[in-house]
Amino acid sequence: MSQRIGLSWLQLRHEKMKLFAAVSGVMVSVVLMWMQLGLMKALFASAVVLHGSLAGEVVVIHSQYEHLLHSKVFSSRLLYRLKGSPDVVSVSGIYLAPIEWKNPWNGEMRSMQCYGIETESPGLSIPGLADQLASLRQRDVFLYDRLARPRFGNVVGELERGADIKPELNRRRMKLAGLVDLGASFGIDGNLLVSHANFLRLFSERDPGHIDLGVVRLKPGVSVEAAQRQFQQQLGEQVLVLTRDQFADIELKYWKSATPIGVIFSAGTFVGFFIGFIVVYQILYTDVTNHLPQYATMKAMGFSNAYLRGLILAQSLQLGLLGFVPGTLIAAMLYAALRNVTQLPLTLDPARGIFLAAVTVVMCALSGLFAIRRLSSADPAEVF
Amino acid sequence: MNTTNGARGTAGDSRAESAGSSMPAVSSVIQCSGVNFFFGQGELRKQILFEVEFAIEPGEIVLLTGPSGSGKTTLLTLIAGLRSMQEGQMHVLGYRLHNPGPRDLLEVRRRIGFIFQAHNLLPYLTALQNVQVMFELQPNVSAEEGRQRAARMLEQVGLGDRLHYQVARLSGGQRQRVAIARALVGGPQLVLADEPTAALDGASGREVVNLLQALAREQGRPILMVTHDTRVLDIADRILELQDGRLASHSTGALSKPAAV
Ligand SMILES: Nc1ncnc2c1ncn2[C@@H]1O[C@H](COP(=O)(O)OP(=O)(O)OP(=O)(O)O)[C@@H](O)[C@H]1O
Ligand SMILES: [Mg+2]
C-alpha cells in the first residue's frame, strides 16, 4: 500500500540521533565496500598497465609464456614475417628481463623490470615516450619509471634537482636519460626502458634474435579477430597470437590464482556489507521494539501487516540512500588521497557505483526484512 | 429485525454462510450471543466472560460499566476483532467474527473508530497528520482530499488552530480530541472507546465525552464506550453492566429498549 503522507520518513527523522547513527552505519559500510573493491580493481589494473600501453592491436608471445615475470623468448624472425601482410602497419619486438639496480646512494641491490624496445618502432605508447626516443638511442642510457616504488632511492627528486644519475645496472654503469610513467605491480617494483642495443649490452648472454613480446599494429578498419586467426595460422603453434585484451587476461588470471588478493578483498567487501547490515538491522529492530505499542495501535485501527512491513522496508531503503550518497563522496576523497600516496589507478567507476548502490539496497532491504519479524510481537489486543 | 429474536437467529445464519461470504443478513451493529472467553491454558485457564449476549442497534450510544476486572476490555477487544473468539457467536457490522474469513478481522477494524484510554497518537506526527493517517486505509481518497477532511474534522473538535502542533505540544484533553477526530474522520460505522476520559481531569473528560456524543449523534454513528466515570452516564441511550464476566440482569433487560422505541 502506498504511503501518501510519507509516514516512514516522518518516523525516521523524528529521532535525529538514531537517524544519524543508522546513516553513519550505512556510510561506513559503503566506504568500506568502495575501498575494498577499488583497491582490488586497482591492484589488478596495475598488473596490466604495460598491456594497456602496447601500441598495437595484436600481440605475439611464446606458447609457454606465463606472465611478465616468467616470459619465454621466441624467434623474432617469426614476428617479422608479419611485416609482409597487407593488413599490418608495423611490428615491434620487445625484450624483457629482470635487472639488478644498484642504488647509487646506498649501494643496495634491487630488482627491476627492464624492457628493451626498438627506438624506431617502440611498440609502446606511453605519454612522453616519443619525445625521448632520440635520447634513448645513445649508448648506455635508460628511462626510469616515475611511478616506481621509493626503495630504489629518491631518483625523481634528485633528477629534478639537476643531479646526474648513473647507477649500476647488471654491474654496468648506465645514465638516466628521462622519466616515463608505468607503475609498480605484483612482483615488479619499478620499470626501466632501454633500447635494443643497450638491452643486449646489459644482457650479453641473450640471443639478439629472440624476443619476448611481439606487437603488431594493424591498418585502420582491419578486423582484429580475423587478423589474429590468420597470423596464428601463418606462424604456427610455437607462438600464441592474441588480442591485447586476451594478453592482459593471461596476466590477470595468473595473479588472481597466484595471490589471495581476490579472496582478501572480497572478504573485506563482505565485512563492509555485514557491518551495514548489522547496524541497520539493530537500529530498525530496536526501533520497532520501542514502538510496538504504536504498531499495535495501527494494527488495531486496521492497518494491514503488509502496510506496516512496507513502512519498515521503506525506512531501510531510505537509510540506504541517505548513507550511500555521502559514503560515495567520502570514498571519492579517500581514492584521491590514496592515488597520490600509492600511485594505484583508483577511480570511482560508474558501473561499480551502480553495483554498490544495488548492494546497499539489498543490504538495507535484508536488514529491514529481519527487523520486520519483530512486528509480529505487536499485539493489537493489548492496545486498550 | 432490530430485536433480540434477530440475535438468536444468527446461529442458523452462520451455518448457512459458512460455505461462502461471512456477511450475514443482520442489521444490528453488534450482535452477540453465548460468548464465553477464557484466558490461560490448562490449570491456569480462567473464564473471563460467561454467556454474554446483547445487541447494539444503529445510532445507539451504549455505555459498558462494571467493576475493575469484570471483563469489559476483553469484551471490547472481541467486538473489535482484536482477539479471536473462542465460544459463542459474534457479528459486527455484518461480519462474522467467530470463524472469520481471512480478511474479515481487518475489514471490521477498518470500519471501527477506536478511542483508547491513552490517546495512542503517533508522536512523530502533527495533529493533522495523525488524523490524515486514517486515509492511508482508503486509497480512493486523494491525498489532498484526505488533508482537507482531516483539517475539517480537527476544526470540529475545536483544534482548528492546532493543526500543525506536534503531539508533544498538545495538552491531554487536546490529544484526546485529536484521537476523537482520528476515530471519526474515516466515517466509521461503529465507535469503540475504552475509558476515554480516564487520563483526563473532570472538566476535560466531560468535554471530550460531550464532543464525542455530539459528533456521533450528528453522524448517526453508534458508540460503545467503556467507562467508570459515573458523571457521564447521562449521555447513554443504554447502559450495560458487566459483573464477573456476566451481563447484569438490568442491562440485559435494557436490550429490548430500542425495539420498544
Ligand atoms: N492478556 C491477559 N492474560 C490473562 N488474563 C488477562 C489478560 N487480560 C486480562 N486478563 C484478566 O481478565 C480479567 C478481565 O480483564 P479486563 O481487562 O477485561 O477487565 P476490565 O473490566 O477492563 O477491567 P478495568 O476496569 O480494570 O479495565 C481480569 O481478571 C484480568 O486479570
Ligand atoms: Mg479495562
Side-chain angles (χ1 to χ4, degrees):
Chain A
M1 202 186 291
S2 68
Q3 295 179 32
R4 282 167 304 164
I5 62 173
L7 216 50
S8 53
W9 173 240
L10 290 171
Q11 189 181 1
L12 258 190
R13 89 170 176 192
H14 184 61
E15 284 165 86
K16 301 278 189 295
M17 270 319 289
K18 207 159 53 192
L19 176 63
F20 178 75
V23 168
S24 307
V26 176
M27 231 161 68
V28 166
S29 153
V30 167
V31 169
L32 252 170
M33 291 193 288
W34 268 115
M35 293 316 292
Q36 298 291 323
L37 288 180
L39 283 171
M40 174 162 75
K41 177 97 184 296
L43 280 174
F44 285 127
S46 73
V48 292
V49 168
L50 178 94
H51 306 64
S53 311
L54 293 176
E57 295 76 18
V58 171
V59 181
V60 182
I61 51 175
H62 191 278
S63 57
Q64 284 160 25
Y65 171 97
E66 283 187 47
H67 54 92
L68 281 180
L69 292 175
H70 209 289
S71 169
K72 201 165 159 87
V73 295
F74 62 96
S75 166
S76 55
R77 277 200 319 246
L78 279 173
L79 176 68
Y80 292 127
R81 266 196 228 158
L82 298 180
K83 262 187 175 163
S85 162
D87 294 341
V88 170
V89 177
S90 65
V91 302
S92 324
I94 297 179
Y95 300 120
L96 60 88
I99 193 167
E100 286 286 315
W101 162 282
K102 186 173 177 188
N103 186 320
W105 297 282
N106 63 14
E108 268 179 22
M109 305 292 274
R110 296 276 182 198
S111 183
M112 293 187 89
Q113 180 84 334
C114 181
Y115 296 96
I117 59 175
E118 299 176 31
T119 48
E120 304 308 319
S121 161
L124 291 175
S125 62
I126 303 171
L129 175 61
D131 300 336
Q132 305 189 73
L133 286 175
S135 46
L136 201 56
R137 276 182 209 121
Q138 301 162 53
R139 194 184 164 98
D140 291 335
V141 299
F142 67 97
L143 298 180
Y144 183 82
D145 184 355
R146 192 200 311 273
L147 305 180
R149 298 231 158 89
R151 59 181 52 159
F152 302 105
N154 182 20
V155 179
V156 178
E158 290 293 319
L159 186 72
E160 277 166 359
R161 270 187 350 107
D164 243 5
I165 298 174
K166 292 184 170 169
E168 268 180 41
L169 300 178
N170 275 6
R171 310 196 176 281
R172 186 180 181 90
R173 178 82 48 197
M174 302 281 284
K175 181 174 179 303
L176 193 156
L179 298 173
V180 286
D181 289 1
L182 270 166
S185 161
F186 302 105
I188 296 179
D189 294 327
N191 302 280
L192 298 177
L193 293 188
V194 298
S195 67
H196 267 193
N198 284 326
F199 186 90
L200 294 170
R201 287 188 189 103
L202 288 166
F203 300 90
S204 49
E205 74 286 0
R206 282 279 296 244
D207 173 356
H210 281 77
I211 56 173
D212 293 87
L213 305 177
V215 184
V216 184
R217 163 162 280 165
L218 299 175
K219 290 213 170 105
V222 172
S223 153
V224 177
E225 282 72 27
Q228 176 201 3
R229 262 197 312 277
Q230 189 207 324
F231 296 167
Q232 182 73 68
Q233 235 168 21
Q234 197 177 337
L235 301 186
E237 285 177 359
Q238 202 199 336
V239 294
L240 277 179
V241 182
L242 304 172
T243 64
R244 207 163 47 173
D245 286 346
Q246 288 170 336
F247 180 48
D249 276 347
I250 292 183
E251 196 79 12
L252 288 179
K253 244 188 220 134
Y254 176 78
W255 291 112
K256 275 177 187 165
S257 68
T259 65
I261 283 174
V263 179
I264 288 172
F265 285 98
S266 301
T269 308
F270 183 76
V271 167
F273 180 91
F274 198 67
I275 289 176
F277 167 76
I278 288 294
V279 170
V280 175
Y281 166 69
Q282 280 290 340
I283 287 175
L284 286 178
Y285 183 89
T286 43
D287 195 59
V288 176
T289 305
N290 293 340
H291 296 124
L292 279 182
Q294 286 173 25
Y295 286 113
T297 302
M298 293 182 79
K299 280 187 183 178
M301 294 191 306
F303 285 87
S304 63
N305 281 325
Y307 181 94
L308 299 177
R309 282 192 216 114
L311 195 70
I312 295 170
L313 205 57
Q315 290 184 343
S316 69
L317 296 179
Q318 283 156 353
L319 290 177
L321 190 71
L322 281 180
F324 182 76
V325 175
T328 299
L329 290 178
I330 292 175
M333 291 190 288
L334 285 175
Y335 272 21
L338 270 177
R339 247 193 330 259
N340 285 337
V341 178
T342 64
Q343 317 293 1
L344 279 169
L346 279 163
T347 50
L348 275 194
D349 174 12
R352 200 173 327 128
I354 291 168
F355 170 73
L356 279 183
V359 167
T360 308
V361 165
V362 169
M363 171 184 95
C364 290
L366 273 181
S367 315
L369 287 174
F370 274 84
I372 278 170
R373 296 183 312 168
R374 189 78 180 105
L375 261 186
S376 58
S377 324
D379 183 358
E382 303 292 335
V383 293
F384 278 119
Chain B
M1 288 225 305
N2 290 351
T3 64
T4 46
N5 287 337
R8 282 190 205 101
T10 51
D13 288 345
S14 316
R15 272 197 298 277
E17 299 142 21
S18 57
S21 138
S22 64
M23 303 283 288
V26 174
S27 62
S28 296
V29 173
I30 301 173
Q31 201 166 63
C32 63
S33 63
V35 173
N36 290 315
F37 192 85
F38 304 81
F39 272 122
Q41 303 280 322
E43 295 269 294
L44 297 172
R45 187 166 146 105
K46 185 177 166 230
Q47 186 160 4
I48 304 298
L49 296 175
F50 298 83
E51 294 295 325
V52 173
E53 177 159 347
F54 70 97
I56 290 182
E57 305 307 328
E60 268 194 301
I61 297 183
V62 176
L63 295 192
L64 180 59
T65 63
S68 183
S70 57
K72 305 181 296 294
T73 298
T74 307
L75 182 57
L76 215 57
T77 57
L78 288 173
I79 294 167
L82 303 178
R83 250 184 232 293
S84 300
M85 285 283 291
Q86 293 171 350
E87 286 175 17
Q89 275 96 50
M90 170 87 71
H91 288 100
V92 176
L93 300 174
Y95 288 88
R96 186 187 61 203
L97 298 191
H98 50 284
N99 301 321
R103 281 190 66 86
D104 285 352
L105 296 181
L106 208 56
E107 291 300 332
V108 163
R109 291 179 202 166
R110 286 185 183 173
R111 287 168 171 73
I112 294 175
F114 289 96
I115 299 168
F116 308 95
Q117 180 172 342
H119 53 81
N120 287 24
L121 297 175
L122 300 177
Y124 52 90
L125 299 181
T126 63
L128 181 64
Q129 288 165 336
N130 260 295
V131 180
Q132 240 183 307
V133 100
M134 297 312 286
F135 291 109
E136 296 278 289
L137 295 171
Q138 301 186 13
N140 54 321
V141 176
S142 75
E144 182 49 31
E145 190 194 339
R147 214 192 68 82
Q148 284 172 5
R149 279 171 62 181
R152 265 204 307 280
M153 195 69 231
L154 281 168
E155 277 159 27
Q156 281 182 281
V157 300
L159 293 175
D161 56 343
R162 296 282 191 280
L163 296 186
H164 302 294
Y165 276 50
Q166 293 281 327
V167 172
R169 291 174 54 214
L170 296 170
S171 72
Q174 288 170 335
R175 288 176 202 178
Q176 204 55 306
R177 280 189 274 160
V178 176
I180 290 173
R182 177 176 68 174
L184 296 180
V185 75
Q189 291 161 257
L190 169 65
V191 176
L192 294 180
D194 195 354
E195 306 195 36
T197 61
L200 304 178
D201 63 52
S204 17
R206 181 74 225 183
E207 203 181 327
V208 160
V209 169
N210 282 347
L211 190 60
L212 189 55
Q213 183 204 22
L215 291 170
R217 279 262 186 269
E218 189 180 305
Q219 301 170 340
R221 305 198 193 293
I223 300 180
L224 176 60
M225 177 173 8
V226 172
T227 186
H228 278 306
D229 195 342
T230 49
R231 292 164 301 182
V232 304
L233 297 182
D234 56 296
I235 66 156
D237 295 326
R238 214 145 50 88
I239 298 169
L240 300 176
E241 189 176 347
L242 260 186
Q243 268 169 1
D244 294 332
R246 296 172 207 272
L247 277 186
S249 52
H250 64 269
S251 48
T252 322
L255 259 176
S256 55
K257 183 183 164 195
V261 166

